[in-house]
Amino acid sequence: MTPDRYGPLPSLLDVPMAVAAELDAWMPEYLRALERQRGLELGAVPTPSAAIVRHAGIWRRGEKLPVSVVWPSGVVDYEIDPDSGNQTGTLQLGVLVCAGGSNEELTARNLHLYVAAARSILLHRGGLGGLTTGLREIDTDLTTIDPEDRGRTRAGATIAYEAPDVFLGQVGAGPPLDADPREDPRPPWPPVELFETDHTSVEQSAHPSDPD
C-alpha cells in the first residue's frame, strides 16, 4: 500500500492559500503602479505584511498593519461528474484588507489603494494556477475596524469572492472497499546497507528521528 492509493485529498484551505500567495507575490508591484498612476511618491504606501490565512475574517488587535486576511466561508453548488466521479463546487471566500495611518485621510487613501491592488491582482490572476476557472467578485464592503486608538486610525474592507469549479474529491477513489487500514500509516522506512558486527550481520532501518 502506497500513499498515492488515496488519490488527491483537497483541502478547503487550498484556494485561500493560493489567494494569499498571489497577494504576497504581486502586491508590491501593483502598489507601485497605483502610486505612479496617481502621482504619489514611490513607496508612499507601505507594503503589507504577509497575508494571513485563517478560519474567519478576523483582524486581531496587535497584528501588524497593513495586512490581508483570507478565509473560506463555505461551499455551494456541489456537482459530481458521472463519468470521472470528480466532485466540484463553488467555494465562497473573503479577503479582509486592513490599513492603518496617522490620520483618517491617510488611512482612507491607503485602504482604497490596498483594495484596488487586491481586486486587480485577483481579477488578473484569478485562475490560481488551475484551482478554479476564475474568481468572481461578489461584493466589497468598506468597514471601520475601530474608529481610533491613541491617534491612529484603523480601517478595513472585506472583498467577497466565489471560486467556481473547485475540485473537492473523487467518488470511488481511495483504498479498495475491502482494504484494511494500515497499523502504521507512515510509509515503510527504507532499508540501509548491511554492516558486520562482532556478533551478527544487522540490517538497519531508518527511523523518523534519524537524520537524513
Side-chain angles (χ1 to χ4, degrees):
M1 293 184 292
T2 59
D4 60 4
R5 74 171 183 158
Y6 309 104
L9 302 175
S11 165
L12 296 184
L13 284 181
D14 291 342
V15 170
M17 290 177 67
V19 167
E22 293 287 2
L23 293 176
D24 288 344
W26 289 96
M27 184 65 74
E29 183 172 339
Y30 274 68
L31 286 177
R32 303 296 83 81
L34 284 162
E35 290 167 344
R36 285 193 298 270
Q37 291 180 10
R38 284 154 180 78
L40 299 174
E41 180 182 354
L42 293 185
V45 181
T47 300
S49 303
I52 300 170
V53 178
R54 58 171 46 125
H55 69 284
I58 301 170
W59 174 79
R60 296 191 172 101
R61 186 180 294 273
E63 289 179 333
K64 185 178 179 181
L65 295 176
V67 70
S68 295
V69 179
V70 189
W71 75 99
S73 57
V75 180
V76 297
D77 300 332
Y78 289 91
E79 292 185 4
I80 296 178
D81 184 276
D83 297 322
S84 65
N86 288 344
Q87 184 183 55
T88 58
T90 297
L91 179 70
Q92 299 171 323
L93 66 152
V95 177
L96 173 63
V97 182
C98 306
S102 58
N103 57 61
E104 185 176 355
E105 181 180 0
L106 186 61
T107 300
R109 183 202 71 178
N110 289 350
L111 176 65
H112 282 274
L113 291 180
Y114 294 136
V115 170
R119 291 181 64 250
S120 296
I121 292 167
L122 298 180
L123 180 64
H124 298 165
R125 309 185 63 81
L128 304 177
L131 287 177
T132 175
T133 50
L135 291 175
R136 297 194 296 248
E137 184 177 341
I138 304 302
D139 182 56
T140 299
D141 178 27
L142 299 176
T143 59
T144 300
I145 295 175
D146 54 18
E148 194 168 347
D149 180 22
R150 296 182 182 178
R152 290 185 60 83
T153 301
R154 296 185 175 95
T158 300
I159 313 170
Y161 287 97
E162 286 185 344
D165 303 313
V166 173
F167 176 72
L168 300 173
Q170 186 179 41
V171 176
L177 295 180
D178 59 354
D180 294 323
R182 295 182 60 182
E183 293 183 5
D184 181 357
R186 298 169 297 184
W189 306 114
V192 297
E193 63 181 358
L194 298 176
F195 64 93
E196 295 294 327
T197 70
D198 293 338
H199 304 286
T200 58
S201 177
V202 179
E203 181 178 3
Q204 294 285 312
S205 293
H207 186 274
S209 61
D210 290 343
D212 294 335

